[in-house]
Amino acid sequence: MQRNDDTPSRTDLFHRLHTGPAPLILVNAWDAASARVIERAGASAIATTSAGIAWSLGYADGERMPADELIAVCARIRRVTRLPLSVDLERGYGDSTQAVRDVAAALIDLGVAGINIEDGTRSGTRELAPPEVLCERIAAIRALDGRFFINARTDTHIVPWDDPAARFEETLRRATLCAAAGADGIFVPGLASPEEIEGLSRAVALPVNVYAGYAGAPPAESLARAGARRISLGCGPLQAALGLVGQLASEAFAHGRFDAMDERMLSVGELNALFSPAA
């Protein structure tokens, strides 16, 4: 497949970022402006948050926004940054493997370096979808491009379990199946126990991605000691940003004061500079 400009070098860099001395920390973006602010803060790569993109476009999370709107946002982000870009694809934005493959192909054509793709749950339930569906989609996307970074997400630690040991064994089983299908990484949101992170990291030959976009998340140093190679903040940054918007709006309406806004705002010059030709 035809790749965009210097995509191979960005994709190779994205792979290398998972094997460095420290874990790859991804502060997830939801539009071009957030991507550039995150890049300016020192990011090595940009990752999107599907929930954040959906909310910013007026949709609920859970593949309720059309795939073409997701792709359009990713195109805008790619236009303003030359860092590797990974896209949260949820379950693939398609009802069939071919449809999911087509969405992934469009992202590859944009020059995206990788994706997250998940198993999720059966429609209308909290029951995990069978891993064979995800594995079939991973294999189809892998056939498009041998270096495209496919981060396979399993929701075993999000759905209810009575037996933590059985949950871990199912996580390991799904990670193994995804690796065999062609995945490059395994993402387990909800996996927070250092013992379980260490156990999974030792048991699978893939970099383990954990989620830290929630209040009270352990620091990166602790997660790295347990074996995490990638740490994602997901929709947490947008949740925090919208919380600040709510705070400053309440302050303005209730007290006629603007302190919360004054303390945090970037200048017009700083923001315009993010999108200057030199940048």
Side-chain angles (χ1 to χ4, degrees):
M1 175 168 290
Q2 180 67 39
R3 300 302 298 269
N4 192 1
D5 53 32
D6 59 347
T7 299
S9 62
R10 284 196 306 274
T11 303
D12 288 342
L13 171 59
F14 195 58
H15 276 268
R16 292 197 300 274
L17 289 171
H18 292 78
T19 61
L24 170 61
I25 297 177
L26 295 170
V27 179
N28 300 66
W30 57 91
D31 61 10
S34 59
R36 285 292 289 123
V37 169
I38 291 165
E39 180 175 6
R40 189 182 78 152
S44 301
I46 300 295
T48 69
T49 158
S50 59
I53 292 176
W55 295 335
S56 72
L57 295 176
Y59 298 97
D61 187 24
E63 293 192 13
R64 291 175 173 85
M65 66 177 160
D68 59 351
E69 293 206 44
L70 170 72
I71 293 167
V73 171
C74 295
R76 295 185 192 107
I77 295 173
R78 271 288 296 116
R79 180 175 59 81
V80 301
T81 180
R82 298 189 70 80
L83 292 179
L85 173 62
S86 179
V87 173
D88 183 353
L89 203 57
E90 298 192 60
R91 294 186 65 183
Y93 288 83
D95 293 331
S96 67
T97 296
Q98 182 60 49
V100 172
R101 181 184 183 277
D102 291 344
V103 175
L107 295 173
I108 290 172
D109 283 344
L110 287 178
V112 169
I115 56 167
N116 282 0
I117 186 165
E118 66 197 54
D119 48 17
T121 56
R122 296 180 187 272
S123 179
T125 75
R126 299 209 66 191
E127 179 185 348
L128 282 170
E132 291 76 16
V133 175
L134 174 58
C135 290
E136 181 179 286
R137 294 176 177 187
I138 290 170
I141 296 168
R142 172 57 63 226
L144 291 171
D145 188 305
R147 290 294 287 164
F148 192 59
F149 196 102
I150 302 173
N151 201 36
R153 167 177 155 169
T154 180
D155 284 354
T156 50
H157 279 63
I158 294 178
V159 300
W161 285 83
D162 294 327
D163 183 353
R167 178 181 63 184
F168 181 81
E169 288 304 315
E170 180 62 13
T171 302
L172 178 56
R173 184 178 81 89
R174 288 178 180 244
T176 302
L177 290 171
C178 289
D184 299 291
I186 180 70
F187 181 25
V188 190
L191 181 70
S193 158
E195 293 76 19
E196 287 193 317
I197 295 172
E198 181 177 2
L200 186 62
S201 299
R202 290 179 179 276
V204 299
L206 296 176
V208 171
N209 184 180
V210 298
Y211 179 68
Y214 59 93
E221 182 181 4
S222 298
L223 296 171
R225 279 200 304 269
R229 300 303 310 151
R230 174 166 161 170
I231 302 169
S232 301
L233 299 192
C235 53
L238 179 57
Q239 289 175 271
L242 292 177
L244 176 60
V245 171
Q247 177 187 342
L248 66 89
S250 295
E251 182 185 67
F253 299 144
H255 306 292
R257 297 187 61 85
F258 320 109
D259 300 338
M261 178 180 69
D262 295 344
E263 291 170 5
R264 305 290 181 87
M265 66 193 306
L266 298 176
S267 71
V268 171
E270 287 177 294
L271 290 169
N272 278 337
L274 294 176
F275 305 105
S276 68

